[in-house]
Amino acid sequence: MVSAAEQMAANTSWAALGKATDLRNRILFTLGLLIVYRLGTFIPVPGIDGAALKEFVDQASSGIAGIASMFTGGALGRMGIFALGIMPYISASIMVQLLTAMVPQLEQLKKEGEQGRKKINQYTRYGTVVLALIQSYGLAASLEAGDLVTDPGWYFRASCMITLVGGTMFLMWLGEQITARGVGNGISLIIFVGIIAEVPAALAQFFASGRSGAISPAVIVGVILMVVATIAFVVFMERALRKITIQYPRRQVGMKMTEAQSSHLPVKVNPAGVIPAIFASSLLLLPITISTFSGSDSGPIMSTILAYFGPGQPLYLLFFAVMIIFFAYFYTFNVSFKPDDVADNLKNQNGFVPGIRPGKRTAEYLEYVVNRVLVLGSLYLTAVCLLPEIVRNQFAIPFYFGGTSVLIVVSVTMDTIQQVQSHLLAHQYEGLIQKSQLRGKGGKARKKRGAPARR
């Protein structure tokens, strides 16, 4: 039977969206900040040779430069002030979360409530600055080595580092403002907009290659069908759950005795979300991007890395798959789903899994279930991330598209729609409560006026 919340969500419309003033203001605020982000991607870093950069990007658009440029909304290809994108912040936040799971002091800090979270966020910002400084220096030095700078030297390196680090910190602030005062997760929306902004140009290039005969019509139709099937598969798997039955015994609340209740503990097939794919991509992109911009001056070690770990190479695909599976398990059991903590919470709430003793046995059972579920989840992540890589290299598609991008786009879209529906539900509930209060007051008044006088 459909719940009241689901019925209300099904009845939401543009008229309901127009009446929700707070939600409309949040959406406009989000769109305004995202427009600011897109404008910033077109502001160039000072000292870049625009003609040489354009020629280089056109040659490398289908390779690793296309991958990095896709995640920055084209800012890296244009060497805009947001060329580093938001990836330093994401890498720092993932590292802090992993350290929080492994370092007892940080784990205790996380349990201290709002003050502890503020301290962890501060550590994340410090880590973002450090990573951005390292990446900006490497990028500036690589640009000089690739003859893409008009006036190389320490002055260019300093100005480039200041500009890129400032751009990353500004993006971090934009994301926090969107999360607090807008709709959706700000950091995820920035990555989402950066990926979506590059799709029209990539499609135009794809169809132009088809008109010129470089790609056959069968390949074009096959790629389109594969993208649609991948999106449908990602939506299905992201909504897939393994429900564990939880039983709550009878208990006395005040003067009343509540009946025994049965509930479910939902375990997602992919509890780690898109984090394993993003972290694995970051590890693969960092050294190769620097060597790509350095041009022909890369040393023998970097040349060997490019030869064996370039996009589409067997070792690249193998390392990518291993890192995705590793981070899927590591992030799930250390951050997103800790069986010991879940078992303790159930025990404190007098809940138990039927047939399993509370405490340690419940934790072991939960770990067993999540391990089995994660086999499917990690393989799903690996397949979605590697299949486009294989197809792109097999059919020589002249632009980059990857499973990580599809995962991010689908996950962010689903999360944002869910938040919009939550705001609409809250608005409709408020309207129903106000109407019921007004009817209640009017009914009492009519009852008082129409009641016969007692004698």
Side-chain angles (χ1 to χ4, degrees):
M1 190 171 179
V2 181
S3 64
E6 290 175 342
Q7 287 181 349
M8 196 173 292
N11 293 330
T12 54
S13 61
W14 289 108
L17 182 62
K19 294 178 182 178
T21 307
D22 179 65
L23 176 59
R24 187 172 67 248
N25 292 336
R26 283 177 172 270
I27 292 176
L28 293 176
F29 179 80
T30 302
L31 291 176
L33 292 191
L34 292 177
I35 291 173
V36 171
Y37 159 63
R38 286 303 301 160
L39 292 175
T41 59
F42 291 91
I43 301 175
V45 172
I48 300 295
D49 188 347
L53 180 66
K54 186 177 184 304
E55 182 181 355
F56 167 77
V57 171
D58 291 340
Q59 294 175 356
S61 60
S62 62
I64 198 74
I67 304 175
S69 185
M70 175 73 78
F71 281 102
T72 59
L76 182 61
R78 294 183 289 268
M79 274 313 297
I81 60 175
F82 297 149
L84 291 182
I86 202 67
M87 294 306 291
Y89 176 77
I90 293 177
S91 301
S93 62
I94 294 174
M95 290 179 182
V96 170
Q97 287 181 355
L98 297 179
L99 288 175
T100 303
M102 295 184 295
V103 179
Q105 291 82 358
L106 291 176
E107 188 175 5
Q108 182 63 32
L109 193 64
K110 185 179 179 181
K111 297 178 180 179
E112 292 180 0
E114 186 65 26
Q115 293 298 324
R117 283 193 294 271
K118 288 182 179 179
K119 201 71 175 176
I120 291 177
N121 290 336
Q122 189 175 3
Y123 293 154
T124 304
R125 294 188 182 98
Y126 293 155
T128 303
V129 173
V130 173
L131 288 178
L133 284 171
I134 296 172
Q135 293 182 18
S136 62
Y137 178 79
L139 189 55
S142 300
L143 288 169
E144 287 185 351
D147 294 330
L148 302 176
V149 180
T150 56
D151 187 16
W154 280 106
Y155 177 78
F156 166 75
R157 295 185 186 182
S159 61
C160 182
M161 289 174 62
I162 293 172
T163 303
L164 293 179
V165 173
T168 297
M169 300 309 293
F170 181 73
L171 282 185
M172 184 180 68
W173 178 81
L174 278 185
E176 292 177 351
Q177 293 299 311
I178 292 174
T179 303
R181 302 170 58 187
V183 176
N185 184 283
I187 304 299
S188 301
L189 280 174
I190 287 174
I191 302 177
F192 170 83
V193 170
I195 294 173
I196 291 298
E198 295 297 298
V199 170
L203 288 177
Q205 184 181 2
F206 185 44
F207 291 126
S209 300
R211 286 195 299 269
S212 65
I215 300 177
S216 65
V219 173
I220 294 177
V221 174
V223 169
I224 294 174
L225 292 177
M226 188 198 72
V227 171
V228 174
T230 302
I231 292 174
F233 180 60
V234 170
V235 172
F236 174 78
M237 294 299 292
E238 290 296 323
R239 295 176 65 90
L241 297 172
R242 164 70 160 88
K243 295 182 178 180
I244 301 176
T245 303
I246 304 296
Q247 193 75 29
Y248 294 94
R250 297 177 62 186
R251 56 179 179 174
Q252 186 171 356
V253 180
M255 300 298 293
K256 295 183 179 180
M257 180 67 71
T258 61
E259 296 293 331
Q261 297 178 350
S262 179
S263 181
H264 292 91
L265 175 66
V267 178
K268 294 185 66 175
V269 173
N270 178 29
V274 75
I275 295 298
I278 291 178
F279 205 51
S281 300
S282 301
L283 290 178
L284 287 171
L285 284 177
L286 183 58
I288 305 176
T289 302
I290 294 175
S291 66
T292 302
F293 275 101
S294 61
S296 60
D297 294 335
S298 57
I301 298 178
M302 199 59 72
S303 300
T304 305
I305 292 177
L306 282 175
Y308 290 99
F309 287 91
Q313 298 298 324
L315 285 179
Y316 174 89
L317 298 176
L318 178 61
F319 184 73
F320 198 12
V322 170
M323 295 307 294
I324 289 174
I325 295 173
F326 170 75
F327 284 117
Y329 276 87
F330 189 84
Y331 190 85
T332 297
F333 284 109
N334 289 279
V335 179
S336 61
F337 191 95
K338 296 183 178 181
D340 293 333
D341 294 347
V342 176
D344 290 339
N345 291 334
L346 288 175
K347 186 177 181 180
N348 295 334
Q349 297 172 5
N350 293 325
F352 62 93
V353 180
I356 307 295
R357 296 187 63 179
K360 184 179 179 181
R361 290 297 180 87
T362 300
E364 293 174 352
Y365 174 75
L366 293 176
E367 184 176 357
Y368 169 74
V369 171
V370 175
N371 262 317
R372 295 182 62 187
V373 170
L374 266 180
V375 172
L376 182 60
S378 60
L379 292 178
Y380 140 72
L381 277 178
T382 305
V384 170
C385 291
L386 293 189
L387 180 61
E389 296 279 351
I390 297 173
V391 172
R392 185 175 62 86
N393 286 276
Q394 189 71 26
F395 295 100
I397 296 174
F399 68 92
Y400 176 78
F401 72 98
T404 307
S405 305
V406 175
L407 281 171
I408 294 173
V409 169
V410 173
S411 300
V412 173
T413 302
M414 292 173 61
D415 179 64
T416 305
I417 291 175
Q418 186 177 4
Q419 288 201 25
V420 170
Q421 287 186 345
S422 299
H423 282 288
L424 285 175
L425 287 174
H427 176 73
Q428 292 186 2
Y429 276 129
E430 289 176 0
L432 291 175
I433 292 173
Q434 291 176 357
K435 288 181 181 179
S436 64
Q437 290 176 348
L438 290 175
R439 288 174 181 172
K441 292 179 181 178
K444 290 180 181 178
R446 286 193 298 270
K447 187 175 181 180
K448 289 181 180 178
R449 286 196 301 267
R454 293 185 178 183
R455 297 180 180 176

